[in-house]
Amino acid sequence: MSARDLHRIQSYLRVAAPRGRDREDIGPFLATFTRASDNPYLNYAIPADDAAPSREDVDALVAAYRARERKPRLEYISSLAPAVEPALFAAGFEVEGRLPLMTYGSAADTPAPEGVELLEATSEDELRDVATVQWEAYEESGAPPERAVDSLRRTVESGGLVVLAREGATHEPAGGGLCTGPHEGATELTSIGVRESFRRRGIAEAMTRWLARQMHARGNDGVFLMAAGEREATISERAGFVPTADILHISVE
């Protein structure tokens, strides 16, 4: 992948991260904060490309998250801002992980697993089914809050795509996932989840392939995802994605 394409993805991340969140520009950092949740994956900062933050910049960033009772945390393509990581280390930050950034190339249009259908979720009932299966797949307790359905609705309204996998005969929800609203042709494929009783049938791979093909066909040539681990990376490769860079997750307690 070219440096231009990586810059385009990081630019997308800076546009997408503040959606539905509070934002604050702190030195070379774009900081985002979710009022309703202290989930660290919903509260993080992204540096400007080629940023070279001072210790004062980093301290101000930490203070902003502390003031909101959130963990100081960043997610970004580390190769585009190589001076940031040493500055964070000097302030006591530790690496949480380096997730493979994978971009879509192409994949054959294979059918969904037998007995399963994939559809674009747009109605309230379909979006609620997606929220429900994602909530279960990620082992959250209770029913999904209304904000989870609202988030999916905003994804659709912003030009993104939500997929629902369900049993063809009974319409029982089996899995869900989405591509976020695109920016300059870049869109993130994320939140793939399959209910436990439907796993090991190829549904996650089918949803990943379906989302990527659909968004690519709609003129978005920068479909990407962040693989959470080796298993997810293998599934994504079978669906047409290739590793291109790393996304650094880094924080301080």
Side-chain angles (χ1 to χ4, degrees), residues 41 73-78 95-102 188 190 224-230 232-233 243-250:
Y41 295 100
R73 189 171 178 279
L74 295 91
E75 296 183 9
Y76 67 102
I77 301 174
S78 57
V95 172
E96 295 177 354
R98 300 182 190 273
L99 277 62
L101 174 66
M102 306 181 72
E188 182 179 5
T190 183
F224 71 93
L225 58 79
M226 304 175 202
E230 290 185 10
E232 291 79 7
T244 55
D246 288 335
I247 295 283
L248 175 63
H249 287 195
I250 188 168

Side-chain angles (χ1 to χ4, degrees), residues 128 131 135 140-151:
R128 193 169 300 280
W135 206 250
E140 300 286 356
S141 59
E146 193 61 31
R147 59 181 168 82
V149 183
D150 292 341
S151 177

Side-chain angles (χ1 to χ4, degrees), residues 32-52:
T32 69
F33 311 93
T34 299
R35 295 185 187 184
S37 175
D38 62 0
N39 185 325
Y41 295 100
L42 301 177
N43 297 272
Y44 58 87
I46 302 172
D49 293 353
D50 299 319

Side-chain angles (χ1 to χ4, degrees), residues 59-71:
D59 288 346
L61 182 70
V62 170
Y65 280 89
R66 300 277 192 230
R68 293 170 173 83
E69 299 182 343
R70 301 291 186 264
K71 175 187 280 191

Side-chain angles (χ1 to χ4, degrees), residues 148-225:
V149 183
D150 292 341
S151 177
L152 292 172
R153 189 185 306 110
R154 287 195 299 270
T155 294
V156 173
E157 292 170 350
S158 67
L161 180 63
V162 179
V163 64
L164 171 64
R166 66 187 186 186
E167 194 77 62
T170 65
H171 288 182
E172 181 182 358
L178 61 91
C179 277
T180 56
H183 174 69
E184 296 181 349
T187 175
E188 182 179 5
L189 195 157
T190 183
S191 305
I192 296 291
V194 179
R195 297 173 66 191
E196 187 172 2
S197 58
F198 287 92
R199 290 175 185 169
R200 291 172 292 280
R201 292 173 57 181
I203 295 175
E205 180 184 338
M207 290 192 298
T208 301
R209 180 184 290 106
W210 186 91
L211 284 166
R213 286 178 58 85
Q214 290 284 329
M215 288 302 282
H216 194 270
R218 296 181 186 188
N220 303 292
D221 61 350
V223 183
F224 71 93
L225 58 79

